[in-house]
Amino acid sequence: MQPQTATGPAGPVSGKAGPGKFQDKSRSRLSGVGDFIGAQGLLVVVLLFGVLLTFLSPVFLTTVNLVNLLFQCTILGVFAIGMTFVILTGGIDVSVGSTAALSSVLSMGVIVNMNMPPAIGLLTGLVVGAGVGAVNGLMVTKLGISPLIATLATLSAGSGIAFAYSDGGNITPVPKMLTEMVSAKVAGIPLLIPAVLVLAFLAHLALTRTTYGRSIYAVGGNKEAALLAGIRVDRVTMNAYIIAGLSAGMAGLLLTGRLASGSPRAGDGIELTVIAAVVIGGTSLFGGQGNIKGTLLGVLLIAMVSNAVNLLGIPSSYDRIVQGVVIFAAAALDVYRYKYVQKNLSRKRKIGPPPATDPKTAGTTATGTATAHTGTPA
Amino acid sequence: MTEKPGRTPAIVEARNLVKLFPGVVALSGMNFELHAGEVHCVCGENGAGKSTLIKTLSGFYTPDEGGVYVDGELMLSSTVASKAAGIATIYQEHNLVPDLSVAENVLLGNWGGHKGILSRREIRKRARKALDQVAPHLNLDTPAMALSTVDGQMVEIARAIAQDARVIIMDEPTTALTEQDVEKLYKLVDELRSKGLAIMYVSHKLEEVFTLADRITVIREGKTVASSVPADELDARSVVQLMVGKDVDLYEHIPRERGELVLDARGLSLAGAFEDVNLQLHAGEIVGLAGLVGAGRTEVARCIYGADKADAGTVEVSGRKLSLHGASAGIAAGIALVPEERKLQGIIPMLSIRENTTLTLLKQVSKWGVLQRGYEKKMVSGYIKELDVRTPSAETPIQSLSGGNQQKVIIARCLASNPKVLILDEPTKGIDIGAKAEIHRLIEQLARRGVAVLVISSELPELLELSDRVMVMRAGRVVAELDKAQATKENVIAYAAA
């Protein structure tokens, strides 16, 4: 029987099952539900939520409310754009709220207490933000402290410095230039809205069209592989924290303008909302996956939740409960999406239809041999 | 071989299993039977359905059609039922709790005890009893994380014994073992067989299969293509053909011209890894670096590449001394590395083939930090064609490719940087036989074009086949340098393990 078994597989029919056959397109295509969640899911959720609110409140779909809604998005958006960079590297920055407070207090300190021109003050705010980011980055890359702990430390220290410097009070008066910048309107639309959109677009270009953006995805997707491919992982990570700090500093200045004071409470507790917005927007906490478009939608959804609570006359304490539920849903979605993508994109490939029962095929020959064998016990 | 099976009824039998996953048919009519006192090997390429079959037998998956029969009765699809039926599975990745002791690991989840209170003495007694049958040399109090790979496996097998398993399923058990440890495992499998246990041994290493198997089942594309054939009626060639479904051109060595000296590493040392390593590579030459796992081969490669910093020694490429500072320095000097662990160190899973390929040369495909997509695409599609990467498009995420095609992308990444020296660390680990032969041919072609190639492989036949020259490492030192004629399996093992 040996020769039969040995020569069987060489039959011409068996050549059909070449590896090329497996390259079915459906392998890389996600199925319905996953597609929905993966690609346009959030947009659909935002729109459905909008339709629901239109029915629940007559005020929702008014120009005034919509402009107001977008205006509410702007500062959160600035925070979230920076945060997206950090989360894409697989890190996290919980210090952005206190960085904003520090930027707010110190910039006003420079202007009010030291009598510097406003421009120097604003620059100080940005430098403070970038500086805190650099400290975070150094702790994470050079000392190897986990991002959560490192930024928790700066959260605490930064907030402490802000309170210490301002003696817990507000620093006023804010220069007119800043308050006017925040509230400037053209044709009834706050200028801040298009400004943040431009910022988002720049961030989008940086992530998709530059070597730096590509490196961020590589570092977040597989740090070890990125390192071996010659990417300067530490530098890339460091810069992500600086970008997050810078955007927090910028947001701190905007908050100062809006609150009309340099306040150590500016941005207090906003870090969780920011992280929630980014994650709801589809940026994976595992790193390497996500984009700015998603982040903007995440910010919009969070702002809509607040808006809804407002419009429907729900006590404001419920706002945070609703937000908690939304964060939970987003995090669960993230895990689900991760597993789903893993399952569908990993080694599993589509298997062709069972080979025809041609007597010449390898399988039939060998099975036949085996049956013959087991049929005649020794 | 033990008494011919066939007359005794099967302990476990899988009848006509069909298992569908969304968009994927994992099993399409799989048959398998296992008798007491036999080693039944299951062979198949990656994705043939081996894992799905194992998971169905151990109750993780519910088959869509057909069923698993234990002693002729249908088994419920649950891990509890499978355990009750006496089926124990030893997976590729070890399932030991690193912080618990050997004793606790042997009885993991099966500690007994009274109302949740455990008796240390009772645990030790029961663990010892099971362990004595498998690995009497192990200490009960050693924490599991201190065990060697093979001892960890022994502990898992002891766990199966402690659960009164009748059937032991081993899934690629030798993946992480050294040649010596493999021998130990063989002996153990033999003993288990003579004790009357039924062993399902899943492996794609044919050497193992023919050493151990009483009977062989070959599966392909979710189907049984050769069912329970006695091992002496098959040979390696026929099994490969059954697995792949076509003839595989095996690699053939054709001598090449050896060119000038390209890489010259002298006196390389890294504390705790290797000491005083000298290594010369010439253009057009393939040098194999042999040795047991842990001999320091990978570490040497990483230091030459610049990924780790050596404590002492110099590396010159074409006469120019390297700074050995970071991988980018190695890349700039013309060294490329295909890393040992493709999944952990090679691919960026979520990124596309295009993005993975150009990872090392972001500078070349960009101007002022802005990527030139058109140029990048053209370059990548060239490599996809040249290396015959089988993919629907260059934009497909790399993780959806098979292991062999992923490896080709990693090699493409290395080629794109136009290296003078190419280091491949375990280039065909976990790769299908067909793709393996292609990668071998690719390596050969590169050498023919004048690239100096260093290959590290734990698969000795592969290493011997490819290499013009073999360096053997043992415990951090180069102990032998063998030319093609001297480099026989026996010779290399003698040096590597002495």
Side-chain angles (χ1 to χ4, degrees), chain A residues 27-317:
Chain A
R27 256 175 64 192
S28 57
R29 199 183 298 152
L30 308 181
S31 70
V33 186
D35 238 357
F36 178 82
I37 290 169
Q40 303 303 332
L42 192 57
L43 187 59
V44 175
V45 170
V46 166
L47 290 177
L48 285 179
F49 195 42
V51 170
L52 184 72
L53 286 182
T54 311
F55 280 110
L56 289 180
S57 161
V59 186
F60 178 73
L61 206 60
T62 57
T63 319
V64 175
N65 185 58
L66 289 183
V67 167
N68 182 39
L69 175 66
L70 287 180
F71 189 64
Q72 296 301 325
C73 288
T74 50
I75 293 181
L76 185 60
V78 173
F79 275 114
I81 288 166
M83 183 67 80
T84 306
F85 282 74
V86 168
I87 296 186
L88 276 176
T89 67
I92 199 145
D93 185 352
V94 295
S95 72
V96 290
S98 85
T99 305
L102 198 58
S103 147
S104 170
V105 168
L106 292 185
S107 60
M108 283 313 112
V110 165
I111 296 169
V112 177
N113 300 348
M114 297 166 76
N115 282 321
M116 295 279 195
I120 301 285
L122 300 191
L123 195 64
T124 308
L126 297 182
V127 169
V128 164
V132 174
V135 170
N136 284 332
L138 282 175
M139 282 199 280
V140 170
T141 57
K142 296 295 169 213
L143 300 181
I145 301 175
S146 91
L148 181 66
I149 303 301
T151 57
L152 201 57
T154 37
L155 160 71
S156 184
S159 170
I161 295 171
F163 270 96
Y165 182 78
S166 66
D167 279 336
N170 295 340
I171 301 175
T172 47
V174 169
K176 247 189 172 170
M177 167 195 165
L178 188 58
T179 44
E180 276 172 3
M181 207 166 77
V182 173
S183 57
K185 285 184 183 178
V186 169
I189 296 173
L191 265 182
L192 204 50
I193 296 172
V196 170
L197 285 177
V198 167
L199 188 70
F201 185 64
L202 290 178
H204 167 77
L205 287 183
L207 283 178
T208 53
R209 295 296 167 95
T210 67
T211 54
Y212 178 64
R214 181 74 59 80
S215 305
I216 282 203
Y217 282 98
V219 169
N222 189 344
K223 197 172 147 185
E224 180 77 10
L227 202 63
L228 284 177
I231 288 173
R232 295 192 164 86
V233 171
D234 280 0
R235 188 184 295 178
V236 170
T237 310
M238 176 91 192
N239 286 343
Y241 282 94
I242 292 178
I243 289 173
L246 194 61
S247 75
M250 205 183 295
L253 295 177
L254 296 177
L255 281 169
T256 309
R258 187 187 286 179
L259 301 171
S261 70
S263 163
R265 287 175 197 82
D268 183 31
I270 203 171
E271 54 276 345
L272 294 185
T273 314
V274 174
I275 293 166
V278 174
V279 173
I280 291 171
T283 299
S284 168
L285 283 173
F286 301 99
Q289 234 187 345
N291 55 52
I292 292 291
K293 186 189 120 197
T295 294
L296 291 187
L297 286 173
V299 168
L300 186 58
L301 188 62
I302 293 242
M304 281 169 81
V305 171
S306 299
N307 191 234
V309 168
N310 233 330
L311 291 181
L312 302 179
I314 302 169
S316 66
S317 43

Side-chain angles (χ1 to χ4, degrees), chain A residues 2 5 9 14 17 23 27 208-211 214 218 222 224-225 227-229 345 349 351 363 366-367 370 373, chain B residues 24-25 46 221 225 227 232 241 245 302 305 327 331 343-345 347 354 360 366 369 371 373 376 390 399-400:
Chain A
Q2 169 107 24
T5 330
S14 49
Q23 299 310 313
R27 256 175 64 192
T208 53
R209 295 296 167 95
T210 67
T211 54
R214 181 74 59 80
N222 189 344
E224 180 77 10
L227 202 63
L228 284 177
L345 295 183
R349 48 194 191 185
I351 287 169
T367 320
H373 172 81
Chain B
V24 178
V25 186
N46 295 339
E221 295 169 42
V225 291
S227 172
D232 48 13
Q241 282 172 339
R302 286 178 63 101
Y305 184 59
I331 295 169
K343 279 212 173 107
L344 299 178
Q345 305 169 328
I347 63 170
R354 170 173 56 85
T360 46
S366 63
L371 295 162
R373 290 242 196 134
E376 187 184 9
R390 302 204 182 97
Q399 61 180 342
S400 69

